[in-house]
Amino acid sequence: MAQKKMHCDCLATIKPVRDTLDVINGKWKLPIIISIGVGNDRFTDIQESIPGITPKVLAKELKDLEQHKLILRTVIDEYPVKISYQLEPYADTLTPIIYALKDWGLNHRKVVTAE
Amino acid sequence: MAQKKMHCDCLATIKPVRDTLDVINGKWKLPIIISIGVGNDRFTDIQESIPGITPKVLAKELKDLEQHKLILRTVIDEYPVKISYQLEPYADTLTPIIYALKDWGLNHRKVVTAE
DNA sequence: GATAGTACTTTCCTAAAGGAAAGTAGAATT
DNA sequence: AATTCTACTTTCCTTTAGGAAAGTACTATC
């Protein structure tokens, strides 16, 4: 028998984790979802609520998130024309992830500053 | 008074989330932690357990994770010299994040294939 | 002296992410 | 005709991530 030392299989966890990372990867997608979730529905408000984001990056990420059915873009036909961004209900399923990341980040800051 | 329309403040959430993302960003760090956590402690085993990873990328990410005190690198002085990678206890604090990402990924696959 | 085994490193390359600064579009107001 | 407002777009550039293929270092065994 070709008995080899085998690595332990962990694909059952790695694969879904990577599926998720493919959707919410990068520096900006979760911050944008958080910002919209908290009530910022206009391009400029979202931009101002996220330090360091440029309009180019914001526009690109908003398109990505729209394609992933996480946010909804609505044109409001007033003067001047406004655009409203809202979370799709599906975006709420990201809440546990956001809280897990927030909690870890808060604790990590304590750990790092305690050093 | 210079009353402006104000964006809603969400920095209390965005900042810790970004702190976390700074540590576990990229395609490979969480898969590596999962692999080591499940029992793969050797370079080659970790490499084989994560589809698509190259030795160069694995070596770099292992160094990053070691610097962040998430894994421990131990030299075993046998012949041939072996290296053992283990999770630091601190890496266990990432478990809630990993499960949240795994659960979301599993559900997302259902959602996407149902379309 | 050659070979094997483990854990990488090196080189070279492409693609994607990110950023600064300025510009544009379309309609209403002055 | 010029200005204002919102929501972007455009250009140009730098940085980072990722990947393929081959090579290296060390030591023990044959």
Side-chain angles (χ1 to χ4, degrees):
Chain A
M1 354 169 183
Q3 178 78 20
K4 284 195 189 178
K5 255 179 294 176
M6 282 285 274
H7 61 263
C8 301
D9 188 37
C10 43
L11 286 181
T13 302
I14 287 178
K15 283 172 81 171
V17 166
R18 290 205 24 194
D19 287 344
T20 303
L21 293 177
D22 286 343
V23 176
I24 60 165
N25 62 356
K27 221 169 143 175
W28 302 112
K29 291 204 181 62
L30 287 177
I32 291 167
I33 286 172
I34 293 165
S35 176
I36 298 176
V38 94
N40 297 304
D41 72 321
R42 308 284 302 287
F43 191 92
T44 309
D45 290 340
I46 299 167
Q47 192 187 328
E48 284 172 6
S49 72
I50 303 175
I53 200 166
T54 60
K56 174 188 144 186
V57 169
L58 178 54
K60 179 193 162 279
E61 300 287 37
L62 285 171
K63 277 176 200 157
D64 282 3
L65 292 170
E66 210 191 336
Q67 280 203 330
H68 280 299
K69 309 250 175 89
L70 290 168
I71 62 173
L72 186 67
R73 181 184 190 271
T74 315
V75 179
I76 301 176
D77 233 344
E78 299 172 354
Y79 161 73
V81 174
K82 292 174 182 174
I83 311 286
S84 172
Y85 293 97
Q86 306 283 152
L87 293 188
E88 294 272 14
Y90 189 41
D92 291 337
T93 63
L94 290 170
T95 304
I97 293 175
I98 291 169
Y99 275 95
L101 292 170
K102 178 184 178 182
D103 290 346
W104 197 88
L106 288 170
N107 182 65
H108 185 62
R109 179 163 290 262
K110 276 193 228 159
V111 170
V112 168
T113 53
E115 271 171 10
Chain B
M1 351 169 181
Q3 177 77 22
K4 284 196 190 178
K5 256 180 293 175
M6 281 286 273
H7 60 263
C8 301
D9 188 37
C10 43
L11 286 182
T13 302
I14 287 179
K15 283 173 82 170
V17 166
R18 291 205 24 193
D19 287 345
T20 303
L21 293 178
D22 286 344
V23 176
I24 60 166
N25 61 358
K27 219 169 143 176
W28 302 113
K29 291 205 181 62
L30 286 177
I32 291 167
I33 286 172
I34 292 165
S35 176
I36 298 176
V38 94
N40 298 304
D41 72 321
R42 310 283 302 286
F43 191 92
T44 309
D45 291 339
I46 299 167
Q47 192 186 327
E48 285 171 5
S49 72
I50 302 175
I53 200 167
T54 60
K56 174 188 144 186
V57 169
L58 179 55
K60 179 193 163 279
E61 299 288 39
L62 285 171
K63 277 176 199 158
D64 282 2
L65 292 170
E66 209 191 337
Q67 280 203 328
H68 280 297
K69 308 251 175 85
L70 290 168
I71 62 173
L72 187 67
R73 182 183 188 271
T74 316
V75 179
I76 302 174
D77 233 344
E78 300 172 351
Y79 161 73
V81 174
K82 292 173 183 175
I83 310 286
S84 173
Y85 292 97
Q86 307 283 150
L87 293 190
E88 295 271 15
Y90 189 42
D92 291 336
T93 62
L94 290 170
T95 304
I97 293 175
I98 290 169
Y99 276 95
L101 293 170
K102 177 184 179 182
D103 290 346
W104 197 88
L106 289 170
N107 182 64
H108 185 60
R109 179 163 291 263
K110 277 192 227 160
V111 170
V112 169
T113 54
E115 272 171 9

